[in-house]
């Protein structure tokens, strides 16, 4: 049995969390009982009992046949509580609105979570262009502007060895390629994602340095078809201003509890 902070891990609790994370990662692809049992390497009977317990408490849902399983509504309620209780998210939201109103493009706030970025807030483009990034979604940090802005705040020695997962032909798949890009991020002060995470979309990411190293970042996503050199220059200038305003509003420490 593994240990965390010198305390033995509770196997049943760990299995419950692993199941919920697995269902959440599947998104709109419900799973069958045997799939879940195989994925977590537990007996079918044990998985069934766990699923029934979670269904009764709203953490898992099932279809009318009782053969398909997906994440339940209580996961949403818990996630919403996380966002509502986070002072950094509350402080940044008005500036996302400001950037959205000024640029008319999609604006995101994300937080580094291991090797991924979790999206905490989004303001959609005025053109109603929908991308894959949404609140609560996690994407590998090496794929997009938010993640690269945050990775650049850390030494390259912390990067995983690779090869990395590719979302498009433009995604960095090697440690060397990503490290070279992060060097350019540090030089210019912001990241650029040219169709690395989503085909047809360019992103500009800006780390928020009220923590050191930065945990949060903001970004602007724009379709390639609308991106001219003049438009790019305006986006970068405006997002720099927004970052400065956010960092002035949320000073180091920010009065927030330092969760680990």
């Amino acid at each position: 049995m593994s240990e965390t902070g010198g305390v033995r891990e509770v196997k049943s609790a760990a299995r419950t969390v692993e199941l919920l994370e697995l269902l959440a990662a599947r998104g709109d692809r419900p799973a069958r009982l045997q799939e879940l049992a195989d994925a977590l390497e537990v007996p079918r009977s044990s998985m069934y009992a766990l699923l029934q317990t979670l269904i009764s408490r709203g953490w898992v849902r099932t279809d009318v046949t009782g053969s398909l399983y997906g994440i339940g509504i209580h996961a949403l309620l818990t996630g919403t509580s996380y966002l509502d209780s986070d002072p950094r998210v509350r402080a940044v939201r008005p500036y996302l609105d400001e950037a959205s109103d000024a640029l008319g493009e999609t604006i995101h706030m994300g937080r580094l979570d291991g090797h991924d970025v979790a999206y905490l807030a989004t303001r959609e483009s005025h053109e109603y262009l929908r991308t894959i990034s949404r609140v609560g979604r996690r994407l590998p940090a090496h794929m997009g502007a938010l993640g690269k802005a945050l990775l650049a705040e850390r030494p390259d020695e912390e990067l995983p060895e690779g090869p990395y997962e590719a979302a498009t032909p433009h995604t960095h798949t090697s440690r060397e390629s990503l490290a070279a890009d992060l060097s350019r991020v540090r030089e210019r002060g912001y990241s650029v994602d040219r169709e690395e995470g989503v085909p047809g979309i360019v992103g500009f990411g800006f780390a928020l340095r009220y923590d050191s190293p930065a945990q949060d970042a903001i970004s602007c996503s724009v379709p390639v078809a609308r991106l001219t050199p003049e438009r790019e220059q305006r986006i970068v200038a405006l997002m720099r201003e927004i970052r400065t305003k956010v960092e002035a509003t949320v000073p180091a420490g920010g009065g927030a509890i330092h969760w680990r």
Side-chain angles (χ1 to χ4, degrees):
M1 185 175 292
S2 62
E3 294 190 2
T4 302
V7 179
R8 287 192 303 169
E9 185 177 76
V10 178
K11 188 174 181 179
S12 59
R15 182 175 294 172
T16 300
V17 172
E18 290 169 358
L19 172 59
L20 293 173
E21 290 180 342
L22 176 59
L23 290 173
R26 292 179 64 91
D28 62 355
R29 297 179 296 111
R32 296 186 180 276
L33 173 60
Q34 193 61 54
E35 289 181 276
L36 297 172
D38 291 343
L40 298 185
E41 300 180 339
V42 299
R44 182 184 173 97
S45 59
S46 299
M47 178 56 65
Y48 180 77
L50 178 55
L51 285 167
Q52 295 308 306
T53 299
L54 293 174
I55 288 170
S56 70
R57 294 177 177 269
W59 284 91
V60 172
R61 58 180 171 174
T62 187
D63 69 332
V64 293
T65 70
S67 60
L68 295 175
Y69 301 93
I71 198 71
I73 194 170
H74 278 211
L76 170 64
L77 300 177
T78 300
T80 301
S81 176
Y82 175 90
L83 295 176
D84 290 344
S85 66
D86 190 288
R88 270 72 182 278
V89 176
R90 291 200 304 270
V92 171
R93 280 173 176 158
Y95 298 103
L96 301 184
D97 293 335
E98 181 179 341
S100 176
D101 291 342
L103 297 173
E105 303 293 355
T106 299
I107 310 297
H108 296 297
M109 176 189 182
R111 178 166 295 162
L112 196 64
D113 182 21
H115 296 308
D116 297 335
V117 167
Y119 285 75
L120 303 181
T122 292
R123 299 295 181 266
E124 294 290 350
S125 165
H126 295 181
E127 300 295 327
Y128 300 105
L129 178 77
R130 298 188 67 83
T131 67
I132 66 169
S133 303
R134 290 292 178 269
V135 174
R137 186 182 295 274
R138 293 160 58 97
L139 289 178
H142 71 275
M143 286 186 181
L146 286 171
K148 291 197 300 179
L150 292 168
L151 292 178
E153 297 291 304
R154 292 156 172 79
D156 290 342
E157 290 74 19
E158 295 184 11
L159 294 175
E161 287 299 323
Y164 306 146
E165 175 187 356
T168 78
H170 303 285
T171 307
H172 292 291
T173 57
S174 72
R175 193 173 189 269
E176 293 73 21
S177 174
L178 179 59
D181 191 353
L182 296 181
S183 178
R184 294 189 290 272
V185 173
R186 296 180 187 110
E187 290 175 4
R188 74 168 79 92
Y190 62 92
S191 66
V192 182
D193 155 24
R194 299 194 186 275
E195 301 185 80
E196 296 165 32
V198 183
I201 299 295
V202 178
F204 303 91
F206 300 78
L208 299 175
R209 298 178 179 126
Y210 41 63
D211 289 314
S212 182
Q215 300 295 321
D216 300 342
I218 55 175
S219 72
C220 176
S221 298
V222 57
V224 172
R226 287 209 298 269
L227 187 62
T228 63
E230 295 75 21
R231 181 69 172 154
E232 179 169 333
Q233 187 176 24
R234 165 144 174 75
I235 289 171
V236 170
L238 191 284
M239 292 300 289
R240 284 185 187 274
E241 292 178 10
I242 293 295
R243 171 168 62 184
T244 299
K245 290 179 180 180
V246 170
E247 291 176 345
T249 302
V250 187
I257 298 172
H258 290 281
W259 302 102
R260 64 180 181 129

